């Protein structure tokens, strides 16, 4: 690992924290819905946790909620179609902690949730004018006041990554009716959004963005009791337990097989300002 200071001298605290920014050589694909079964309410999980998801379809039979997949995705045959109605969603039957969205505090007190490390991505096609929230990843139960839970998806017509109080929104607009690959990467609080394999937000400072609860993750809504549902198609939806490197995310956006990721390349992070000034950290 190489350090390049912007200003000031070498800070021991910075050196000791380098491990927080290191990409794992082999990320574990915990959740992977390719939506290729497409004929019942059980959503097969091709990821390592293997727990199947449950499709709740209040608007019609489960069999009507599948359509053509992302043309350049890893599994283009079939995709999940959601219409944003309250209750149309997938219950992963996996907690935020199991999927690495949530890291319990050392004290074990759930409300002391600390920043976690994960990569969540999907091919998405939004099928109506994008105003308000259309969330892909959420939780069954939101914390009091609507804060402290994950809400990764779209806000307005831009990709959005949210935990609580310090949400991050991408810069570019997404066109209605077009497939786009979106990735939400959290590395110990450093939040980055990728659109079609490229970074698309102002980099966020490390050390923020934890969750306040570890309730089960749902797909297609931000929480189980509020209508912020996704409207459109989802394909090749996955969650890794590590922050993927930039080249690995680009590989997925180009239709690469998520079960055979390339070796991680070099990734630049910018650490918070502290003793010795701001540092650029190179892996």
């Amino acid at each position: 690992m190489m350090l390049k200071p912007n200003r000031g001298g070498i800070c021991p605290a910075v050196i000791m924290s380098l491990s927080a920014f290191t990409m794992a050589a082999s990320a574990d694909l915990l959740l992977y819905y390719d939506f290729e079964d497409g004929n019942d309410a059980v959503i097969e999980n091709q990821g390592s946790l293997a727990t199947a998801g449950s499709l709740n379809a209040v608007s019609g039979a489960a069999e009507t909620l599948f359509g053509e997949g992302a043309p350049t995705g890893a599994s283009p045959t079939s995709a999940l179609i959601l219409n944003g109605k309250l209750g149309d969603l997938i219950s992963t039957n996996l907690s935020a902690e199991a999927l690495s969205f949530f890291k319990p505090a050392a004290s074990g007190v759930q409300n002391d949730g600390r920043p976690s490390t994960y990569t969540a991505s999907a091919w998405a096609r939004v099928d109506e004018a994008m105003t308000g929230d259309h969330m892909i990843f959420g939780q069954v139960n939101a914390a009091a006041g609507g804060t402290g839970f994950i809400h990764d998806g779209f806000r307005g017509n831009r990709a959005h990554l949210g935990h609580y109080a310090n949400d991050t929104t991408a810069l570019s607009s997404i066109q209605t009716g077009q497939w786009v690959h979106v990735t939400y990467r959290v590395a110990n609080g450093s939040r980055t959004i990728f659109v079609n394999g490229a970074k698309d937000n102002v980099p966020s400072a490390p050390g923020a963005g934890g969750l306040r609860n570890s309730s089960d993750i749902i797909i297609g809504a931000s929480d189980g009791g509020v209508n912020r549902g996704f409207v459109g198609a989802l394909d090749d939806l996955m969650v890794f337990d590590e922050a993927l490197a930039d080249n690995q995310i680009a590989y997925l956006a180009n239709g690469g097989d998520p079960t055979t990721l390339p070796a991680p390349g070099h990734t630049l992070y910018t650490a918070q300002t502290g003793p010795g000034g701001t540092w650029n950290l190179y892996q």
Side-chain angles (χ1 to χ4, degrees):
M1 179 147 331
M2 178 178 67
L3 291 178
K4 180 182 178 182
N6 286 340
R7 60 183 176 85
I10 295 177
C11 173
V14 172
I15 295 175
M16 291 176 64
S17 65
L18 287 179
S19 60
F21 300 95
T22 301
M23 296 289 186
S26 178
D28 188 5
L29 177 58
L30 303 174
L31 177 70
Y32 178 29
Y33 296 151
D34 61 9
F35 300 116
E36 292 304 297
D37 46 341
N39 58 6
D40 55 40
V42 177
I43 307 299
E44 296 178 2
N45 177 16
Q46 309 294 332
S48 64
L49 294 181
T51 301
S54 303
L55 176 60
N56 301 316
V58 298
S59 62
E63 288 78 3
T64 68
L65 297 182
F66 291 86
E68 187 174 351
T72 54
S75 59
T77 302
S78 179
L80 177 71
I81 309 296
L82 296 173
N83 64 12
K85 290 186 178 180
L86 184 62
D88 273 8
L89 53 85
I90 294 174
S91 299
T92 65
N93 302 311
L94 294 167
S95 70
E97 186 172 355
L99 289 172
S100 294
F101 288 101
F102 174 87
K103 181 191 296 182
S107 66
V109 178
Q110 195 176 63
N111 284 341
D112 288 340
R114 297 180 296 162
S116 191
T117 296
Y118 68 84
T119 302
S121 69
W123 283 93
R125 189 192 70 218
V126 180
D127 287 344
E128 71 171 23
M130 290 183 284
T131 58
D133 288 354
H134 299 266
M135 295 303 168
I136 299 173
F137 299 93
Q139 289 181 271
V140 173
N141 298 310
T147 61
F149 65 100
I150 190 170
H151 44 290
D152 293 353
F154 295 93
R155 175 162 290 177
N157 63 347
R158 297 181 292 169
H160 182 83
L161 190 165
H163 288 182
Y164 72 93
N166 47 17
D167 294 8
T168 300
T169 304
L171 301 175
S172 63
S173 297
I174 304 299
Q175 297 300 311
T176 304
Q178 296 184 6
W179 282 101
V180 62
H181 188 266
V182 290
T183 303
Y184 308 95
R185 184 178 73 189
V186 177
N188 289 282
S190 178
R191 305 177 307 282
T192 310
I193 297 172
F194 293 75
V195 176
N196 290 328
K199 291 181 182 178
D200 196 29
N201 73 301
V202 177
S204 301
L211 298 178
R212 296 191 182 194
N213 70 81
S214 188
S215 60
D216 281 5
I217 295 295
I218 56 177
I219 305 301
S222 60
D223 68 77
V226 179
N227 190 11
R228 299 190 183 100
F230 185 82
V231 181
L234 297 174
D235 198 9
D236 290 333
L237 186 146
M238 59 196 72
V239 176
F240 293 86
D241 69 340
E242 298 288 349
L244 297 187
D246 293 5
N247 68 305
Q248 294 173 319
I249 293 172
Y251 168 82
L252 294 176
N254 286 318
D257 182 353
T259 64
T260 58
L261 288 177
H266 299 291
T267 298
L268 168 66
Y269 290 92
T270 301
Q272 288 178 306
T273 300
T278 300
W279 288 74
N280 286 334
L281 308 181
Y282 294 87
Q283 181 193 346

